[in-house]
Every structure is written in structure tokens, then in C-alpha cells.
Amino acid sequence: MCRWLAYSGTPMLLDTILYKPAHSLIDQSLHSKLGVETTNGDGFGVGWYSEDNSTPALLRDVGPAWNNRNLREMADHVRSPLFFAHIRASTGTAVQQSNCHPFRHGRWMFMHNGAISGFHLMRRDLTLLVDPALYSDIEGTTDSEVMFYLALTFGLDQDPPAAVAQMAGVVERAGHDHGVALPLQMTLAITDGERVWAFRYSSGHASRSLFYSSRVDALRRLHPDIAFLRDISEETRLIVSEPLGDLPGAWNEVPEGSYGVVQPGADELHTFAPEPA
């Protein structure tokens, strides 16, 4: 499987989140504690937004994140209020740049940890459901990218939770049609550059790990001596596959079968279930 993080809040050098934490995503690429695989070295990707452009920039490569000099160089110089980062452990599809997350379409970014079980059986059925106007934009061969384009087809621009619920529903229906009892395993993040939606769901109700950071004001009260907490806004939030450290009170598990929204003002947490196809 994979590991990922989503950051939203005070504009920050990517280095601060990618490299500096004790159990950073770079450390997780070699020493994952909660993932299916300890090592996640089948590629990586970072996507971020700038004030000058509504569409995100991407840096993706097929090598491991832990020794990529371009990633190290870029992380020291790029500052963003919202970025995604992903380290990949392939579930069978090719190790190639077009299969590295995050995926991008217009202003949208998408990244995923998990798999569609039996994807080779239902690939044709699922890709034929993608809007023909979007189909030619699919570049890679992963189940994750097909999930993204199905969500786009089902109205991601209008209602992201409903689009993801419909996507999950057709994946489960296709799986059951092909005799796959538990087709879907997903923790995924989606953003339009302003809000971030994060989902945790699996057909077997045993989803991969996912955590969100506590409110900044609560952490300041718990840890008044930590300078980093004084320098970030109360809107700052992280969503991660694994906690980036062991700071008491900092991390909360995303409940099974739920999704959250990180947005200006109050964040939200809701239950999630696929829409029956």
C-alpha cells in the first residue's frame, strides 16, 4: 500500500512537514509503522498550490523519496498553504511516473492508499463508466486514477462526498459482479485548492490507518513551550496515514466509515457509505 499526508493552513516550507518531523513521510518511506509494507519505495509525489495559480504544481518520480535530490532541493524552497505528499508501494501496477500520486485534473488533486481488489477483472467495466470527455486524460494504469476519474464523472465539482460515494458504490457493484467479496480499500484525499476532503472506508470495514491533527488552540494550551504552534494559524490542519510524531494530544484517528472536511471556519466530520449502484 502507500502512505500520504495533506497539509492545509499557514503557508509553510514543504521541508518543515516533509523532512523535519521525527516520523516524517520521508522516514515512513523506509520505516512505516502502520502500513502493510514497511518500505514505500515505488515512487513518490508532491503537489502544491501557489498564490499565483489556481491549478496545482506536481513533482513526481519513480524512485524512492528518501534519496531524491530534486525533492530535497525543492522542499527547501517551495512554500505553500496547501500541499499533498504521497509515497507509493505498488499493489501490482507498473512503477512509472504516470502511476505516482497525487493525480491532477484542472484545480483538483487526488491521492489514495488502498486498492480495488480484483481490479484486473473489472478494469474495463469501470473505465467505460468514465465520461468520454475525461477518458483521454487518464495517463496511467492504476486503480487509483480510475477512481479519481469516476469521481470527476459523478460530479466532483458539484458535491465531492456524493461523487466519492457514487464512485465507491460502482466499484463495489463491479467487484460483486465479478465474484470479489470485498472490492474496495481506501483512504483518500481530495482538494480543490481551498478545501480538503479525506475519506476512510473499506468494504470489509477494516480500513487502513488515517489520522488528523488536533485543533491548534488546544495544542497551544497543552504545549505552550512549542514555538512552532505559536507561528501557525488556528486554521492549520494535517491529515496523515501515520502520526508524524508522539506529541501528546496531537493526533486523532479518523473513524472507520467516515469523511472529514478541512475548510475555512469550522471543520466537519461525517459518516460515509457508498451509494448503491
Side-chain angles (χ1 to χ4, degrees), residues 80-103:
S80 177
L82 198 165
F83 68 88
F84 281 7
H86 185 281
I87 51 175
R88 185 171 184 242
S90 172
T91 56
T93 50
V95 178
Q96 60 192 46
Q97 193 176 95
S98 58
N99 284 345
C100 294
H101 309 222
F103 301 104

Side-chain angles (χ1 to χ4, degrees), residues 158-226:
Q158 290 76 44
D159 189 338
V164 173
Q166 191 171 350
M167 175 274 289
V170 300
V171 168
E172 291 198 324
R173 174 62 182 270
H176 296 156
D177 288 348
H178 287 274
V180 180
L182 302 174
L184 186 57
Q185 173 70 244
M186 71 177 200
T187 64
L188 59 85
I190 302 171
T191 183
D192 60 359
E194 298 179 3
R195 292 179 288 175
V196 177
W197 293 263
F199 299 79
R200 185 178 184 222
Y201 174 79
S202 60
S203 303
H205 308 296
S207 301
R208 304 295 181 239
S209 58
L210 193 63
F211 299 84
Y212 64 94
S213 60
S214 297
R215 288 173 53 93
V216 171
D217 56 351
L219 289 173
R220 286 174 182 154
R221 289 192 295 270
L222 285 172
H223 307 284
D225 55 327
I226 296 180

Side-chain angles (χ1 to χ4, degrees), residues 5-83:
L5 69 81
Y7 173 86
S8 177
T10 298
M12 188 75 61
L13 280 175
L14 273 58
D15 166 76
T16 305
I17 306 299
L18 276 181
Y19 284 90
K20 289 185 177 179
H23 190 47
S24 69
L25 202 65
I26 304 304
D27 182 64
Q28 291 175 39
S29 66
L30 279 167
H31 307 295
S32 172
K33 298 176 181 178
L34 301 178
V36 175
E37 295 87 4
T38 301
T39 304
N40 297 271
D42 294 328
F44 70 87
V46 179
W48 67 94
Y49 294 84
S50 68
E51 294 180 356
D52 304 322
N53 202 322
S54 61
T55 59
L58 293 183
L59 173 69
R60 301 186 295 177
D61 203 350
V62 297
W66 63 76
N67 66 356
N68 190 280
R69 294 180 66 182
N70 289 332
L71 178 63
R72 174 73 269 185
E73 178 75 13
M74 181 273 294
D76 282 335
H77 293 83
V78 171
R79 188 182 302 272
S80 177
L82 198 165
F83 68 88

Side-chain angles (χ1 to χ4, degrees), residues 237-250:
R237 187 80 79 172
L238 275 159
I239 306 170
V240 297
S241 294
E242 298 186 15
L244 304 184
D246 56 4
L247 187 68

